[in-house]
Amino acid sequence: MAKQENQAIGRITQELQQANHIDDILKHILEHLHFHYDRVRVYLYDETTDSLIGRLQITANGQLIPLTSTYPFRTDPYTQQTILQNLPQIFTTNTQEHKNWLNHIQEESILNPLGNQEWAEIALKVHQHGQEIIVGKISLDNNYTQIPLIQKHLNQQMTFIRQAAIAISQAKLLENMAEQVRQRTQKLLETNNLLNEKDKLLSALQEVSHRSLSYLNQDEIIDNFAKQIIQSGILRSLMIALVDHETETVEIVRAFQRNLPEGPDGPVHILNHPKTCGTRYHLSENNITPLTARTGEMQIADSISDQRLDTKFEDDQDWDDKIAYFIPVKREDKVVAVLATGTRHKDKNLFLQHLQFMDPVFNQLGIALEHASLYQKVKKNEIHYRSLFENMQSAYIAPQNEWTKFQGRVKV
């Protein structure tokens, strides 16, 4: 019998060594111990919370069920006694100590005591670099068959338990390393994406700066700016509204969108929908576009039910999973334009991170628009004063001609 038991332990130990995933290891442990006991539970120690977390159990009928119970490691007297000993500890529910303990825990289902029952606990410990490391504990009982727990039989499981503790410890180490690798990989991807976005923004800024200041027409500036921003992949769509402080109005002048079916490098189409472009609001209105222009602060609408949105644009927007952003473009403290774009809800945080790097681009747009506006005003004033000069010249030349004619008549 002892020979068969040793062979079984050798076989299960080999399986533990071959298993890499912690759930597979726990399954092997439970199935082996269930051959001798009705119910077996495994709790793993979590260093970050200093608690024991129930991981998996096997019931009397052989069913594997995840555990959800968690309780503080330091305040459980049974765990403390088990950890201090190198051999399994047998406990009974028929003690005043146990009743006092039940009054201080939230889940009596941890051991599910019914009447005068007994259970055993075995510490899962390993020795590393001369130190004893707590891995967890195993709790088992025979409350279904009512077969008494025998210390000698429990002690015979210690060789297997030590191997199980080593296997769990190694699996937890691999699990932690895998999680660290995953987190570092995720951070690296986020960093690379952020660097790519910065490169795109830098290229867009250089292009906008180079071209925008060379244009003296607002339409050319707007078209160039939007195409550079959307073509770079920073935004998928863009609406632009210009602010006129003389008339106290803001007017939507352009709506741009990438032709997504043709891929990320597809052409940028200028959409001049009659329901969108040409729409004008007074700055005093509560609509989200003039509100942005009036306050100089970005506004966010994450639902079609937002009362600040214009209802006539509802059919043009897919609001099932969309957030709209209305961004002021300023020249010093004055808002000269409002930009509107959108993202999916899951991309909100990433977009807001990218947005802080787009300030130089928006500032450049504000400078270019003001530059073009001043040029147009100078040009308009030039035409006006030239007309006045020509009218004044005509008024001066006419009397001169009449005087010349009069002098001629007098000489005759």
Side-chain angles (χ1 to χ4, degrees):
M1 186 70 179
K3 182 178 180 180
Q4 293 178 349
E5 182 71 18
N6 290 334
Q7 289 177 348
I9 292 177
R11 184 175 64 256
I12 194 70
T13 300
Q14 185 177 6
E15 292 176 357
L16 288 176
Q17 292 173 349
Q18 293 175 351
N20 290 324
H21 196 278
I22 194 167
D23 289 334
D24 294 333
I25 293 174
L26 297 181
K27 180 180 177 182
H28 285 310
I29 295 172
L30 293 177
E31 290 177 343
H32 170 72
L33 293 175
H34 185 254
F35 182 77
H36 304 278
Y37 303 98
D38 294 349
R39 181 177 60 170
V40 186
R41 297 182 173 191
V42 179
Y43 300 85
L44 299 183
Y45 176 63
D46 181 21
E47 294 181 357
T48 58
T49 59
D50 193 30
S51 61
L52 284 171
I53 300 176
R55 188 71 177 251
L56 192 64
Q57 73 168 328
I58 189 167
T59 61
N61 60 4
Q63 184 179 6
L64 290 168
I65 301 176
L67 289 174
T68 58
S69 56
T70 299
Y71 54 97
F73 173 73
R74 308 285 174 185
T75 59
D76 173 21
Y78 302 107
T79 297
Q80 291 301 306
Q81 182 176 334
T82 301
I83 295 300
L84 291 175
Q85 304 298 324
N86 292 322
L87 294 176
Q89 302 295 300
I90 298 176
F91 303 101
T92 178
T93 61
N94 188 25
T95 63
Q96 185 60 42
E97 181 183 9
H98 181 76
K99 293 177 182 178
N100 294 336
W101 175 69
L102 288 180
N103 292 330
H104 289 85
I105 64 173
Q106 294 181 351
E107 293 190 29
E108 294 189 10
S109 60
I110 292 176
L111 294 172
N112 193 24
L114 296 173
N116 298 333
Q117 299 177 356
E118 64 177 3
W119 78 97
E121 293 189 2
I122 309 174
L124 292 169
K125 300 185 291 186
V126 296
H127 289 82
Q128 295 178 355
H129 308 294
Q131 292 185 339
E132 190 175 68
I133 307 298
I134 306 301
V135 178
K137 75 173 183 178
I138 292 176
S139 176
L140 48 85
D141 63 68
N142 280 334
N143 292 329
Y144 180 76
T145 60
Q146 294 298 309
I147 299 175
L149 297 175
I150 301 175
Q151 187 71 48
K152 178 181 177 181
H153 293 168
L154 289 167
N155 293 346
Q156 291 174 351
Q157 299 293 333
M158 287 307 299
T159 300
F160 168 74
I161 294 298
R162 294 188 187 97
Q163 294 298 322
I166 293 174
I168 294 174
S169 177
Q170 292 176 345
K172 286 182 66 177
L173 180 61
L174 291 174
E175 194 177 70
N176 292 338
M177 291 176 63
E179 178 61 20
Q180 290 178 5
V181 170
R182 188 196 66 79
Q183 292 179 0
R184 290 178 181 178
T185 302
Q186 181 64 28
K187 288 183 179 180
L188 183 60
L189 289 174
E190 292 175 357
T191 301
N192 287 339
N193 290 336
L194 194 58
L195 289 175
N196 289 336
E197 292 297 331
K198 287 183 178 179
D199 288 341
K200 291 178 181 178
L201 285 171
L202 181 59
S203 298
L205 176 60
Q206 292 174 340
E207 191 66 24
V208 168
S209 301
H210 175 71
R211 294 191 180 187
S212 295
L213 294 180
S214 64
Y215 295 139
L216 296 176
N217 182 280
Q218 284 189 337
D219 290 337
E220 292 178 339
I221 293 172
I222 292 171
D223 291 344
N224 171 68
F225 168 80
K227 288 181 180 180
Q228 293 299 323
I229 293 295
I230 297 179
Q231 198 72 52
S232 67
I234 300 171
L235 303 177
R236 293 170 52 187
S237 61
L238 183 64
M239 181 205 78
I240 300 179
L242 296 181
V243 180
D244 188 338
H245 289 279
E246 291 184 0
T247 61
E248 297 185 343
T249 59
V250 55
E251 180 180 353
I252 300 175
V253 295
R254 288 290 192 282
F256 300 87
Q257 184 173 347
R258 178 186 299 284
N259 192 353
L260 294 178
E262 298 184 26
D265 297 324
V268 176
H269 292 282
I270 301 177
L271 306 180
N272 292 307
H273 198 286
K275 291 172 62 177
T276 304
C277 295
T279 302
R280 181 178 295 183
Y281 305 96
H282 193 271
L283 292 181
S284 62
E285 295 184 44
N286 290 326
N287 179 274
I288 198 166
T289 302
L291 178 62
T292 306
R294 185 172 67 249
T295 63
E297 297 179 355
M298 181 176 70
Q299 307 294 325
I300 300 177
D302 56 6
S303 172
I304 190 63
S305 61
D306 194 315
Q307 298 297 317
R308 301 171 300 173
L309 294 171
D310 197 327
T311 55
K312 70 179 180 179
F313 297 145
E314 290 182 8
D315 296 337
D316 300 332
Q317 305 289 347
D318 177 17
W319 284 98
D320 291 339
D321 181 28
K322 188 174 182 180
I323 298 178
Y325 309 86
F326 291 76
I327 307 162
V329 176
K330 299 179 181 180
R331 176 58 180 146
E332 295 180 348
D333 294 331
K334 184 172 67 175
V335 178
V336 296
V338 175
L339 309 180
T341 188
T343 68
R344 300 299 180 188
H345 279 269
K346 65 181 181 67
D347 299 324
K348 178 181 178 180
N349 292 335
L350 183 61
F351 173 77
L352 293 178
Q353 288 179 3
H354 291 169
L355 196 61
Q356 61 182 327
F357 299 111
M358 298 177 69
D359 282 343
V361 181
F362 297 154
N363 291 337
Q364 194 66 40
L365 174 62
I367 293 172
L369 289 175
E370 185 184 50
H371 185 199
S373 177
L374 291 175
Y375 174 79
Q376 294 299 323
K377 288 180 180 180
V378 170
K379 188 174 181 181
K380 183 178 180 180
N381 288 336
E382 180 187 358
I383 294 174
H384 174 70
Y385 288 119
R386 180 178 294 175
S387 176
L388 287 177
F389 177 77
E390 290 176 351
N391 291 335
M392 290 175 61
Q393 189 177 33
S394 298
Y396 174 76
I397 292 175
Q400 280 290 102
N401 292 338
E402 292 298 325
W403 175 253
T404 302
K405 292 179 181 179
F406 173 76
Q407 286 181 325
R409 287 197 297 271
V410 170
K411 289 179 180 181
V412 173

